[in-house]
Amino acid sequence: MLKLALKMTWARKGRLVLTSMAIILGTGFLSGTFVFRDTINQTFDRLFADVFRDVDAYVRSTTFIELDFGGEQRAGIPISALDTVRQVEGVVSAAGDIQQFARVIGKDGTPLGSDGGGPPTFGGIATFETAGLWQIDEGRLPVGATEMMLDRATADNGEFVVGDTVRVVAAKGARQFTLVGIASYGDISSPGGSTFALFDQPTASEFLLEPGFVDAFLIAGDGSVSDEVLADRIDAALADDLKLETLTGAEITAEVQGQIKDVLNIFSTFLIVFSYIALGIGSFVIYNVFSITAAQRQRENALLRAIGANRRQVSRAMLVEGTLMGVVGSLLGFAVGIALSQLLNALLKATGFEVPTTGLAIKPGSLVNTLIAGVSVTVLAAWLPARRAGRVPPLAALRDTALDSAGNLKRRVSIGLVLVALGAVAMVAASNDAPIQVLGLGVLGVFAGVLVLGPAIARPVALALGTPVAALRGVSGTMARQNAARNPKRTSRTAAPVLLGVALVTAFTALAVSIRSEIRDTFGDAFSGDFALTVDSQGSGGIPLSLTDQIAGLDGVAQATGVGFTSVRIVDPNDTTLDPSASMRGNFVQTINPDTIDGLFDIGVVEGTLSSLGRDGILVEQDRATERGWKIGTRLQVIRIDGAVIDAEVRGLVSGDTSFANYVASREMFADAPTPIFDSFVYIKAAEGAVLDDVEARIAAISSDAGIGTLQSKEGFIDAQAAQINQILGLIYGLLGLSIIIAIVGIVITLLLSVFERRREIGLLRAVGMTRAQVRTTVRWESVITSLLGAVTGVVLGIVMGVVVVAALADDGGLTFRLPVTGTITIVVISFILGVVAAIYPAWRATKVNVVEAISTT
Amino acid sequence: MTSLPPPTTTNSNTHAAHARGATKIYGTGDSEVHALEHVDVAFERGRFTAIMGPSGSGKSTLMHCIAGLDSLTSGSVYIGDTDLSQLNDKSLTQLRRDKVGFIFQAFNLIPTLTAYENIVLPLTLGKKKGDETWINRVIDTINLRDRLTHRPSELSGGQQQRVAIARALASQPDIIFADEPTGNLDSKTGTEVLTFMRRAVSDLGQTIVMVTHDATAASYADRIVFLADGKVAGEMFQPTAQKVLDYLKHLGE
Ligand SMILES: Nc1ncnc2c1ncn2[C@@H]1O[C@H](COP(=O)(O)OP(=O)(O)OP(=O)(O)O)[C@@H](O)[C@H]1O
Ligand SMILES: [Mg+2]
């Protein structure tokens, strides 16, 4: 029987190819992201191994704060300790290292590198010491307060040559330097699209950090002892009260590699999740193809049963076929994935994230994962049709037409309705404060219910959608309408990928549109100034505080205030329940200037006052305060990045609607910190009677002189805040893009199988006078009706889910549902086009049906 | 008993369709099959002609070629005055739609269309209204008025064939081709269908060419053309079932 199954599979190579296409697509995305991730990881592994090649030991501060996104921020260390290190036996070279915010201003006055969001921009130290990370590519090392180097890529991008004057913005403001040399980092000119401005150590410390401080020491040994021994000797030599630790070269290499991977993995995990969703949607296509081919082979299977094959044998033959296809499809998908990963790389390059890759990393693990995912999805998708095939009565061999049976509609409707109802109940429960997981279960339930209901609603909806088509396109339209409705199971399965994609996108768009208008409202109320100067780099650099003060002093400016962000640790000395390992975890704190913010920007104080903030006061977001049992007067410890512990007191609560962090503190709290804080927003109000355009021009002059910040009008600022949600929408549309591709492939495959199945009918139509153009029209409109069926049901489902999700998230009634009108219209138009595009090839195939052959086959 | 007159001269005024030197070769080299070899044949207007011959003699091939469904290897076929070899696919399709009617052995109807929609299909395809009185007369003649809104799956085999005949007649084509139209029917239904075809010729003035293996069916025709090995083997006018059986016996010898 196995031999027979294999032989039967081989006899239908065409279908094999079609089914495999669906599997290839699904697994292709998956393996593509695997290979992409591994390639990048491998690249960075090699890069840092190369960069730290000469580093045998690494000294840094033990005081640090873990940041929210997996990174950490460490306190600086005094450069004076470097002499102690140099005296240690076995050390041949030691140098300070700095990696802090610095932005290079291009020759046209605009900063190089993106304004936040993109790869970070750094300032650092260039040194002759062998332990240093940089090599001289051209020119010489900078000496003194007016000289600098650039990394090769930045110099090339900005068209800088040795001898040029370069403006750089860093913690201490904007300055000019003479470019005396160009450096390279390991094997490549600059890693990951970051820019580097390099100075001698005293200049770097003073300009980027704090005079006399660096971030770390890099040490090279003479090779007389192992790195471990060397690190131990250095550790012993350094005074304990400096709070320093020494790592070996291997340790710091592994750590940096790990950190980069953590950051990259957030991105690739996201991609992989998307790929699994794509594979899930693709499994509908696979399931559909198996169902259709099983129906088309009903006679053949019945014949097998009639001549004595038992149910198990028939089912198993189909499962063997499914497994085979799963293996072949996944293997091909893996190959496609390798190509896709290259495409992803090219795409990233085009958007400015140059990821250097040194050769493809194809790991056996990725192949195994792809195979497991692909084969299990395929076998699962083949399972039901295979069981159904086994149940075919031998008598069916004598019946002529072999279509999917309509199934038990009543049972289907009841099961579907029960699932939808359960899902709806869960969703409503979620909107009444049940945990968010319940909402997820509810969404799943509704989806499953709608998919079960699909075949029952496909026929009436397809007929309704087809009515105008039939009216407009005459007999071709009528036939298209009937064809779309004649096999409701098949039509609904074909439309399922469209439905899923459209429903998800509609729901998220509805949510985003609602959030966006919510943001507009709150910011419109909170911000009463005329302009805002913003940078989009929260936590890492930004607008120097001196710039904010400079703007406040401008002619025609009545008031200007800055808002920034930094990380601290917040410790509640009375809370003993906290897990000590979590005590290193950092918290975002929003820094404000309480003297100038009043009347310009309302950060939503619901209890207490701003004016009482001072150096040791803190405001807490009200939910966080309730959660931790804090109220006004609670004493907390705020631990800064430099390790300074500030005994602070809760002086008020904020609503959280217009503050961007859970904690708010005065900029005074950080005035004496060695790591400077920056502003991310500067809100500005023009003086009474001042000409707005003039004021704007003056602020613009200052900010462009400093080479930092985007100046926006009040309206522009509010728009920009609301538009932040668009980034998330962009990701969701990426999901739509994937499901579109899968949906198109699904429709193409189904149509091809239908055309094959109906070749006699098409032959007959051609014989009695249907032209090729009319045949094409029929196939095209069937495709459009199918696609619109998915889109319309998807939109309805998406809107319903949007309403419920918005209601669930609007705990205090602030968020109200808004219908995404343009979004919905766009989706329907896209689905229409999708139908037309998917029909092109099957329609062409339909016109190629040989009339004589078609009418001669019995 | 049998009469074998010389091949009739072709004249488009009296002939609805004719073939000259029609040759059809399938395959190449060793596997070459001469399905038709220099066939000259003409079908008169307003006549019911039957084509008979052993299995594999080329009956279907001849019919497909004359009807513009397939092309000849050499020679030419005409529908009226039109040389089919001069037509492209689009004009051929239009010719079939407007000038030719078809009745096949099985699978004659589009399952998604009602009986009525199937009947007027060639007209709708050509965006024509057709002659309503004529269509009504055809429907009355096939006696299926109460079944017009039914789908093919809800009709019996004989009813389906009658609908197919009505479709072939509806557009008043120059000629109707039928390939074993009663092959799948029991003798009673077969008789019903044949009687109806006969009436379409005698009463409605249609031209029908029918391929059949059945002597009784052939006896409904005005004339029989016999094919053997891809060649015209003989002809018979005003046949009876007995005459046909005798002739076939003679052919077999
Ligand atoms: N597509 C084809 N390829 C090769 N040979 C063919 C093809 N179609 C028909 N033939 C051959 O041409 C010859 C004539 O076939 P045709 O179908 O015209 O016979 P027929 O007289 O209609 O037979 P029957 O009474 O069995 O229907 C046969 O030998 C057949 O095998
Ligand atoms: Mg035949």
Side-chain angles (χ1 to χ4, degrees), chain A residues 852-853 856, chain B residues 24-27 31 33-36 53-64 70 105 179-180 211-213 227 230:
Chain A
V852 175
E853 243 169 57
S856 310
Chain B
K24 178 77 179 178
I25 301 168
Y26 286 113
S31 61
V33 177
H34 290 253
L36 294 176
S55 187
S57 57
K59 304 182 295 294
S60 297
T61 306
L62 178 65
M63 209 192 86
H64 292 154
D70 207 348
Q105 181 174 354
D179 196 351
E180 302 187 45
V211 171
T212 185
H213 282 285
L227 282 189

Side-chain angles (χ1 to χ4, degrees), chain A residues 400-401 459 473-476 478-479 482-483 486 760-772 774 850-852 855-856 858, chain B residues 26 64 69-70 89-90 93-94 96-97 100 102 104-113 117-118 121-122 124-127 151 167:
Chain A
D400 185 34
T401 41
R459 196 178 147 77
R473 305 303 308 207
V475 68
S476 303
T478 312
M479 307 249 338
Q482 294 290 354
N483 283 343
R486 74 198 281 182
R760 283 177 74 183
E761 203 173 309
I762 297 167
L764 176 65
L765 283 164
R766 294 274 295 128
V768 301
M770 186 177 251
T771 60
R772 291 205 165 125
Q774 285 173 316
N850 183 315
V851 181
V852 175
I855 59 177
S856 310
T858 33
Chain B
Y26 286 113
H64 292 154
L69 291 172
D70 207 348
D89 180 79
K90 197 168 173 208
T93 306
Q94 274 163 12
R96 288 199 302 268
R97 194 175 70 202
V100 182
F102 287 99
F104 302 108
Q105 181 174 354
F107 201 77
N108 255 307
L109 307 178
I110 301 298
T112 47
L113 300 180
E117 284 167 343
N118 265 293
L121 185 58
T124 2
L125 283 172
K127 300 195 176 70
R151 292 270 158 82
R167 179 192 61 208

Side-chain angles (χ1 to χ4, degrees), chain A residues 212-406:
Chain A
F213 283 87
V214 293
D215 286 330
F217 297 154
L218 308 165
I219 298 135
D222 58 9
S224 59
V225 288
S226 72
D227 288 2
E228 284 76 13
V229 174
L230 186 69
D232 285 346
R233 283 187 194 163
I234 296 168
D235 231 12
L238 291 165
D240 281 351
D241 60 345
L242 286 172
K243 290 193 182 157
L244 299 178
E245 60 181 357
T246 312
L247 279 65
T248 64
E251 280 165 353
I252 184 65
T253 306
E255 203 180 293
V256 173
Q257 287 168 344
Q259 280 167 3
I260 285 278
K261 270 183 213 171
D262 284 348
V263 175
L264 289 173
N265 280 349
I266 295 175
F267 179 61
S268 48
T269 304
F270 186 78
L271 279 179
I272 289 171
V273 167
F274 260 35
S275 306
Y276 274 114
I277 294 178
L279 184 60
I281 296 179
S283 68
F284 278 94
V285 177
I286 302 171
Y287 172 57
N288 200 16
V289 177
F290 275 114
S291 299
I292 297 174
T293 52
Q296 289 179 351
R297 277 161 47 188
Q298 207 182 22
R299 276 176 83 172
E300 191 180 305
N301 285 332
L303 195 65
L304 281 177
R305 294 274 283 119
I307 60 175
N310 63 29
R311 279 185 183 196
R312 282 246 316 278
Q313 285 173 313
V314 171
S315 295
R316 213 187 306 144
M318 292 219 23
L319 272 182
V320 165
E321 187 174 326
T323 314
L324 202 72
M325 284 185 181
V327 172
V328 174
S330 305
L331 285 175
L332 290 175
F334 191 73
V336 168
I338 294 171
L340 275 178
S341 75
Q342 296 304 91
L343 200 77
L344 246 168
N345 231 330
L347 239 132
L348 278 182
K349 205 172 209 161
T351 51
F353 283 87
E354 187 172 351
V355 184
T357 49
T358 47
L360 279 170
I362 300 166
K363 293 198 175 167
S366 309
L367 179 62
V368 170
N369 279 345
T370 307
L371 265 176
I372 290 176
V375 173
S376 41
V377 161
T378 314
V379 170
L380 264 177
W383 180 256
L384 267 183
R387 275 186 39 133
R388 232 181 283 137
R391 263 181 280 155
V392 65
L395 214 67
L398 309 173
R399 276 210 298 265
D400 185 34
T401 41
L403 298 181
D404 290 0
S405 62

Side-chain angles (χ1 to χ4, degrees), chain A residues 135-139 149 152 182-184:
Chain A
Q135 279 105 53
I136 301 172
D137 216 35
E138 196 189 323
M149 284 180 104
R152 169 55 70 194
I182 291 168
S184 66

Side-chain angles (χ1 to χ4, degrees), chain A residues 432-724:
Chain A
N432 289 322
D433 281 349
I436 198 84
Q437 285 88 339
V438 177
L439 181 69
L441 277 180
V443 170
L444 269 183
V446 170
F447 265 133
V450 168
L451 291 175
V452 171
L453 279 177
I457 45 179
R459 196 178 147 77
V461 176
L463 285 177
L465 286 170
T467 307
V469 179
L472 281 174
R473 305 303 308 207
V475 68
S476 303
T478 312
M479 307 249 338
R481 173 173 180 254
Q482 294 290 354
N483 283 343
R486 74 198 281 182
N487 223 321
K489 257 189 175 172
R490 182 184 302 182
T491 309
S492 77
R493 280 190 309 246
T494 311
V498 186
L499 183 145
L500 291 176
V502 166
L504 284 175
V505 168
T506 308
F508 278 113
T509 310
L511 183 63
V513 168
S514 305
I515 292 178
R516 201 154 55 192
S517 62
E518 169 78 5
I519 292 178
R520 296 188 131 280
D521 291 352
T522 5
F523 273 86
D525 291 346
F527 178 31
S528 40
D530 300 301
F531 306 105
L533 184 70
T534 64
V535 289
D536 188 17
S537 55
Q538 291 144 9
S540 66
I543 303 166
L545 299 186
S546 57
L547 191 66
T548 309
D549 297 340
Q550 206 182 337
I551 291 172
L554 275 179
D555 211 16
V557 171
Q559 194 180 346
T561 194
V563 170
F565 301 92
T566 188
S567 287
V568 295
R569 278 161 51 209
I570 307 258
V571 177
D572 180 353
N574 300 317
D575 190 347
T576 49
T577 59
L578 211 62
D579 168 14
S581 71
S583 63
M584 280 321 214
R585 175 67 37 84
N587 294 95
F588 263 138
V589 57
Q590 183 173 351
T591 57
I592 61 166
N593 184 347
D595 302 336
T596 55
I597 199 167
D598 219 29
L600 188 47
F601 192 86
D602 178 5
I603 60 162
V605 180
V606 290
E607 229 186 296
T609 54
L610 269 182
S611 51
S612 63
L613 214 44
R615 182 183 180 271
D616 56 355
I618 191 160
L619 306 178
V620 183
E621 192 261 329
Q622 52 186 1
D623 288 345
R624 169 67 57 105
T626 318
E627 199 181 297
R628 304 289 295 269
W630 298 336
K631 36 189 182 296
I632 292 184
T634 303
R635 309 233 34 126
L636 298 174
Q637 286 179 339
V638 177
I639 304 166
R640 291 193 321 215
I641 287 168
D642 57 310
V645 179
I646 295 154
D647 267 319
E649 184 189 19
V650 178
R651 300 249 164 89
L653 302 179
V654 291
S655 69
D657 290 341
T658 52
S659 55
F660 299 89
N662 286 326
Y663 302 94
V664 179
S666 166
R667 55 147 104 163
E668 250 183 274
M669 190 184 270
F670 303 93
D672 59 344
T675 330
I677 60 163
F678 295 89
D679 281 333
S680 294
F681 303 96
V682 179
Y683 302 113
I684 305 145
K685 189 190 268 176
E688 200 96 30
V691 181
L692 279 184
D693 286 350
D694 294 349
V695 179
E696 184 172 3
R698 254 171 258 151
I699 305 167
I702 288 197
S703 82
S704 75
D705 193 43
I708 195 142
T710 318
L711 185 60
Q712 291 162 323
S713 67
K714 177 178 179 176
E715 268 313 300
F717 170 69
I718 293 171
D719 281 347
Q721 292 310 305
Q724 285 188 349

Side-chain angles (χ1 to χ4, degrees), chain A residues 804-819:
Chain A
V804 177
V805 172
V806 167
L809 293 183
D811 26 72
D812 52 359
L815 200 60
T816 47
F817 177 78
R818 282 181 179 77
L819 188 69

